[in-house]
């Protein structure tokens, strides 16, 4: 069976993350973030990636856009083409110009979505074989799915998210390899749960505790899973599936409703046996 191997990621140094003063998802606790601690957590995440030979590119954070740290939400990069996000909430719209500049300066072709669409990058999408799954309902919509399908010439499967705490696909769904994925059933509509059951041969459920402990927001590379610490049953399940946990503490980022996966935009990956 083939396994995904991440080669290069983009992350944003959390220099001004502690200035966060708004709440746009139910996890957020504005005014409580410890900036120094967030920096320690972020640097430990980099170390975890480096231990897996993953190259980490870093973009500087700008003032006034605290959630800019969540690099995965900024777009989907496929080769040297990137579809830039169109943020749903005003608080995050200012992040895009900095990422646009970063990608432009490195020779990426930028694809822009139509003005009347919403999309938050890899936070809301996962490639699954020849399809792209997109979480719709909170941060992305059906029009977006059509537009992205055209740009990448790919079949897009919308998955309806129905719980505001699971506002992004990467909070309720986690592909592990070609055949196995985890999901949190209450996060999705009945119809979308059925769609997932048809698409994923080995579809496993997260318990409430696992989902609330941000298990879905993990980063999988080869037989390693970088995930939020303190999730013993998830760790045990991974072990039984032949995966090794690399636990990291992301508590400061969870105060904004984000974790490992949110902080990490995968720029290059491959599939290996
Ligand atoms: N506060 C951010 C928001 O609500 C958190 C984003 C986390 N990103 C993610 N991919 N889940 O937009």
């Amino acid at each position: 069976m083939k396994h995904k191997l991440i080669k290069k990621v983009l992350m944003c140094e959390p220099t001004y993350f502690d200035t966060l003063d708004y709440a746009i998802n139910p996890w957020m606790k504005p005014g409580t973030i410890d900036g120094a601690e967030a920096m320690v957590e972020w640097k430990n995440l980099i170390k975890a990636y480096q231990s897996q030979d993953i190259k980490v590119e870093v973009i500087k954070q700008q003032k006034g856009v605290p959630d800019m740290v969540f690099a995965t939400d900024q777009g989907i990069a496929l080769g040297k083409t990137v579809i830039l996000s169109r943020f749903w909430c005003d608080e995050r719209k200012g992040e895009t110009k900095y990422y646009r500049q970063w990608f432009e300066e490195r020779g990426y072709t930028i694809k822009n979505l139509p003005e009347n669409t919403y999309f938050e990058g890899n936070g809301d999408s996962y490639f699954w074989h020849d399809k792209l799954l997109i979480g719709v309902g909170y941060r992305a919509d059906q029009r977006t799915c059509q537009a992205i399908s055209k740009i990448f010439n790919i079949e897009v499967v919308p998955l309806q998210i129905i719980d505001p705490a699971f506002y992004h696909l990467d909070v309720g769904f986690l592909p592990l390899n070609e055949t196995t994925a985890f999901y949190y059933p209450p996060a999705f509509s009945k119809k979308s749960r059925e769609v997932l059951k048809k698409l994923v041969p080995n579809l496993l459920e997260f318990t409430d505790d696992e989902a609330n402990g941000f298990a879905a927001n993990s980063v999988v590379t080869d037989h390693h899973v970088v995930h939020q610490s303190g999730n013993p049953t998830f760790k045990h399940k991974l072990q039984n599936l032949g995966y090794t946990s690399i636990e990291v503490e992301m508590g400061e980022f969870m105060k904004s409703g984000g974790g490992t996966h949110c902080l990490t935009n995968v720029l290059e990956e491959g599939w290996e046996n």
Side-chain angles (χ1 to χ4, degrees):
M1 197 196 332
K2 284 195 177 142
H3 290 269
K4 196 166 73 173
L5 210 62
I6 297 177
K7 299 192 172 141
K8 187 155 94 176
V9 298
L10 173 60
M11 294 175 65
C12 173
E13 188 161 5
T15 318
Y16 306 108
F17 179 51
D18 57 356
T19 62
L20 189 126
D21 62 357
Y22 56 83
I24 51 172
N25 73 56
W27 306 89
M28 291 180 78
K29 297 189 184 83
T32 67
I33 293 165
D34 180 332
E37 191 51 36
M39 191 61 87
V40 170
E41 292 178 0
W42 185 80
K43 288 189 173 158
N44 283 338
L45 182 58
I46 293 192
K47 279 189 201 140
Y49 292 146
Q50 287 170 340
S51 77
Q52 298 307 306
D53 290 330
I54 296 172
K55 186 165 189 283
V56 180
E57 299 272 2
V58 174
I59 179 173
K60 283 211 172 90
Q61 183 165 29
Q62 302 293 322
K63 283 187 185 155
V65 277
D67 273 337
M68 183 182 169
V69 296
F70 298 116
T72 211
D73 300 341
Q74 310 297 332
I76 316 180
L78 195 58
K80 277 294 216 180
T81 299
V82 60
I83 299 183
L84 274 188
S85 294
R86 293 189 69 91
F87 281 95
W88 162 77
C89 44
D90 291 342
E91 288 86 345
R92 298 201 62 184
K93 290 188 198 296
E95 299 167 22
T96 308
K97 56 178 173 296
Y98 304 116
Y99 280 89
R100 176 187 296 281
Q101 190 184 352
W102 190 93
F103 282 112
E104 273 173 0
E105 283 174 0
R106 281 151 192 87
Y108 282 80
T109 302
I110 310 276
K111 298 283 184 186
N112 298 299
L113 289 165
E115 271 190 22
N116 60 351
T117 54
Y118 297 104
F119 182 56
E120 301 191 357
N122 289 314
D124 249 340
S125 55
Y126 263 113
F127 287 98
W128 182 258
H129 296 266
D130 57 345
K131 300 176 180 32
L132 182 66
L133 313 181
I134 296 188
V136 298
Y138 290 96
R139 305 296 185 86
D141 56 13
Q142 294 284 351
R143 278 192 300 263
T144 304
C145 295
Q146 286 153 18
I148 292 179
S149 172
K150 259 199 199 150
I151 295 173
F152 278 161
N153 190 22
I154 193 170
E155 182 187 339
V156 171
V157 179
L159 295 170
Q160 189 72 39
I161 302 173
I162 56 167
D163 180 336
F166 295 87
Y167 59 100
H168 271 156
L169 187 61
D170 73 355
V171 201
F173 178 73
L174 174 70
L176 204 59
N177 56 43
E178 280 187 314
T179 55
T180 302
F182 285 94
Y183 82 133
Y184 183 53
F188 297 97
S189 70
K190 191 166 182 296
K191 200 172 144 203
S192 293
R193 293 199 292 265
E194 295 309 317
V195 170
L196 279 174
K197 281 179 197 161
K198 283 203 186 108
L199 282 177
V200 182
N202 190 24
L203 184 63
L204 307 172
E205 297 188 2
F206 285 127
T207 63
D208 294 351
D209 281 352
E210 288 164 356
N212 289 320
F214 264 58
N217 209 254
S218 303
V219 172
V220 183
T221 185
D222 193 18
H223 284 81
H224 292 83
V225 181
V226 184
H227 68 85
Q228 169 62 30
S229 57
N231 210 326
T233 58
F234 178 52
K235 189 176 171 174
H236 190 66
K237 286 178 183 172
L238 290 174
Q239 257 165 14
N240 287 342
L241 290 159
Y243 285 78
T244 304
S245 285
I246 302 179
E247 294 184 75
V248 285
E249 178 50 56
M250 292 284 117
E252 295 309 309
F253 296 99
M254 282 166 70
K255 292 177 184 168
S256 187
T260 316
H261 188 266
C262 309
L263 292 167
T264 314
N265 197 319
V266 175
L267 297 177
E268 284 175 26
E269 64 186 10
W271 286 88
E272 305 207 351
N273 284 310

